[in-house]
Amino acid sequence: MTDCTTLSDTRCILGEGALWHPERGSFLWFDILGHRLFEHDGNAERAWQFDRPVSAAGWIDRTRLMVASSRDLFIFDLESETQQHVVDLEADNPVTRSNDGRADPQGGFWIGTMGYNAESGAGAIYRWYKGELRKLFDGLSITNAICFSPDGRHAYFTDTLSKMIQRVALDQEGWPAGNAENWLDLGPEGLSPDGAVTDAEGNFWNAQWNASRVACYAPDGQYLRSVSLPTPQITCPCFGGPDLTRLMATSAAEGLPDDDLKAGQTFVVETDVTGRAEPRVLIPGL
């Protein structure tokens, strides 16, 4: 495993939504509070500005993404820069915005909401699948760590304030097949779980807020190792690169002093681990 390098020195207020696009061969991420989407292909960086917070995406095809905003899910074309509204997402609730999200192996898209000020219990987790948006869990404060086992049989998520990673079994179509269970308690170590992703072996890689790291846990919850990063507020990881061995992580500058020059930047570490390709979001009729 190599030392961390800076993929982008753009200072995000709240970097999130790390995503490797397997057809474009590029990393994508968001600055939620800056209302921006970024793409880096290893050589150059592009950015798109929106009129509202945007936080997470799944890829549909080479040019189109399913994007979650503070009020809706929409399809965004990276080349034509056009938006197509898909469905409202708590559009009538000015307290909340979208936060963490990721596509599942069955082709659905999970997205969490939360209050702008992390209001207690204001958030929820939804799944969009083949035209249907369904609320799965509610009463959450800071939704995070949405990711899936490689075989699609389990989903993970957390309310960061609880410091507890939960796991729920999924049916063949990717809907929860029962109640969520407590899977990994980070409370005893005082760690705050943020975004997460799984690798090809099913290990769980979790960005940990105010801990300057992404930590790796086995499918049984056993701690395996961690990757140190140069700023405390690490928010979301993903695996990418030609062999899916590069670990990318976003971070947040919000609340940190200006002399933390790495705050809000986006980082890459070359690992000896193989990630897994992010699944495509399935759109009915395509």
Side-chain angles (χ1 to χ4, degrees):
M1 188 172 298
T2 64
D3 293 336
C4 165
T5 60
T6 300
L7 177 69
S8 169
D9 60 8
T10 299
R11 188 178 176 91
C12 292
I13 306 168
L14 181 55
E16 254 289 4
L19 173 70
W20 170 257
H21 195 304
E23 290 193 353
R24 295 177 69 84
S26 61
F27 284 112
L28 296 143
W29 71 99
F30 295 86
D31 181 350
I32 299 178
L33 299 181
H35 304 183
R36 291 180 294 174
L37 165 66
F38 298 92
E39 179 183 35
H40 203 297
D41 64 4
N43 295 305
E45 181 176 312
R46 299 174 69 191
W48 296 265
Q49 185 73 48
F50 296 89
D51 64 355
R52 59 202 186 278
V54 284
S55 67
W59 70 280
I60 298 169
D61 54 30
R62 194 180 187 283
T63 65
R64 294 183 301 164
L65 305 175
M66 175 75 81
V67 176
S69 84
S70 57
R71 63 173 183 255
D72 64 349
L73 299 181
F74 65 96
I75 295 172
F76 182 65
D77 192 301
L78 294 163
E79 301 305 327
S80 67
E81 301 186 348
T82 55
Q83 300 180 37
Q84 178 185 343
H85 176 78
V86 174
V87 65
D88 286 347
L89 180 69
E90 299 186 359
D92 59 349
N93 186 351
V95 172
T96 61
R97 61 166 174 82
S98 64
N99 197 48
D100 187 63
R102 198 173 290 278
D104 63 37
Q106 291 83 357
F109 182 70
W110 292 48
I111 185 65
T113 62
M114 62 173 286
Y116 280 92
N117 297 306
E119 287 85 350
S120 179
I125 292 176
Y126 298 81
R127 182 183 188 232
W128 185 91
Y129 182 63
K130 295 183 178 180
E132 177 187 2
L133 182 70
R134 187 186 302 180
K135 184 187 291 187
L136 306 180
F137 306 99
D138 58 13
L140 306 173
S141 298
I142 304 177
T143 54
N144 264 315
I146 294 172
C147 62
F148 308 91
S149 61
D151 61 9
R153 296 176 61 184
H154 291 93
Y156 300 92
F157 67 93
T158 191
D159 180 342
T160 296
L161 295 184
S162 75
K163 303 186 186 301
M164 177 69 72
I165 307 293
Q166 294 190 279
R167 184 176 69 173
V168 62
L170 304 177
D171 65 20
Q172 290 187 342
E173 286 202 320
W175 297 107
N179 295 325
E181 61 180 9
N182 293 336
W183 176 70
L184 176 62
D185 185 3
L186 297 176
E189 299 171 83
L191 296 169
S192 296
D194 210 294
V197 70
T198 55
D199 64 23
E201 301 298 319
N203 297 318
F204 177 89
W205 293 76
N206 180 228
Q208 295 175 339
W209 183 263
N210 272 337
S212 302
R213 72 177 195 169
V214 174
C216 177
Y217 301 86
D220 63 2
Q222 178 184 359
Y223 171 79
L224 298 178
R225 57 174 157 169
S226 63
V227 176
S228 296
L229 295 162
T231 189
Q233 295 177 170
I234 305 301
T235 54
C236 189
C238 74
F239 283 98
D243 301 314
L244 299 176
T245 56
R246 295 173 187 163
L247 181 69
M248 168 189 158
T250 53
S251 71
E254 184 180 22
L256 294 180
D258 291 342
D259 61 4
D260 183 344
L261 300 180
K262 292 293 185 180
Q265 294 185 358
T266 303
F267 309 102
V268 170
V269 177
E270 185 67 47
T271 75
D272 56 3
V273 174
T274 301
R276 60 184 191 84
E278 284 289 327
R280 182 196 305 265
V281 177
L282 298 180
I283 304 296
L286 296 181

